[in-house]
Amino acid sequence: MDELTTSIVGIDFPNEDKSKSNRRMECMLCAPGDVVELRLEPTNPYDENAVAIFSERGTQLGYVSAERAPLNGKRMKEGETIAVFQAMHGSGAYIRIRFGGGVPTLPDPVPDMPKRPPPRQARPAQRPVYDPHAFYPDGEGPEFGA
C-alpha cells in the first residue's frame, strides 16, 4: 500500500496557539491537492504514536486517527512521505498520503449527498367570492343561527 486516504480527527478542537486558531476553519481554507505536513509527536501525553497534520500556513488541522497513527508513523520513519489535503466531505476532512516518494494522486471527488427537495408550497387558498347580499351565519353563535 503506497497510498491511502485517512480522516483528520480532532478538527473541532481549538489549537493551543495564542489565538486558539480554529482547525475546522483552517480545513475549509485548504484546497484539494494542497500539501500538508505530517509531524510525529512522540511526547504527546495521550498517544506516543500521534501524528499531527499541519496546513501549508503552519496551522494545525488535527491528527491522523489513533488506529492509523502507528502504521503511518512507522512508514514515515522508513522513507519519504508526502501528504496532501484531499477534501472536506460531510462534517469531516480527509488527507491523501503517499509513502516512498512521489506526489499522492487524488481520487475522483465523491458527489455530495442528494439535497433534500424543497418543501412543497401550499396551494394558495382560494377566497370565496363575497356576496354583500348573502346571509353568513356565525358558526360560533347561538343554536338558532343568529
Side-chain angles (χ1 to χ4, degrees), residues 58-98:
T59 303
Q60 186 171 6
L61 302 173
Y63 287 91
V64 171
S65 69
E67 293 82 21
R68 298 259 179 144
L71 169 70
N72 289 346
K74 179 179 180 256
R75 296 287 306 265
M76 287 171 65
K77 291 174 188 173
E78 291 173 355
E80 185 179 10
T81 304
I82 297 178
V84 296
F85 186 81
Q86 183 170 332
M88 286 199 72
H89 186 73
S91 63
Y94 301 88
I95 60 170
R96 184 82 172 166
I97 305 171
R98 181 168 181 85

Side-chain angles (χ1 to χ4, degrees), residues 7 12 14 19 22 39 47 67 72-74 76 78 102 104 108 110 113 138:
S7 61
D12 289 320
S19 66
N22 185 309
R39 296 182 193 168
D47 183 2
E67 293 82 21
N72 289 346
K74 179 179 180 256
M76 287 171 65
E78 291 173 355
D108 291 333
V110 176
M113 297 296 290
D138 184 1

Side-chain angles (χ1 to χ4, degrees), residues 18-38:
K18 287 182 181 180
S19 66
K20 300 288 184 200
S21 56
N22 185 309
R23 294 177 181 177
R24 180 172 294 280
M25 184 63 180
E26 188 66 21
C27 286
M28 293 171 71
L29 293 173
C30 291
D34 284 355
V35 175
V36 296
E37 181 184 356
L38 302 179

Side-chain angles (χ1 to χ4, degrees), residues 1 5 17 27 37 39 43 53-54 56 67-68 89 99 111-112 114 130 144:
M1 170 173 49
T5 294
D17 55 10
C27 286
E37 181 184 356
R39 296 182 193 168
T43 59
I53 305 166
F54 288 81
E56 291 179 323
E67 293 82 21
R68 298 259 179 144
H89 186 73
F99 301 105
D112 287 335
Y130 177 73
F144 54 86

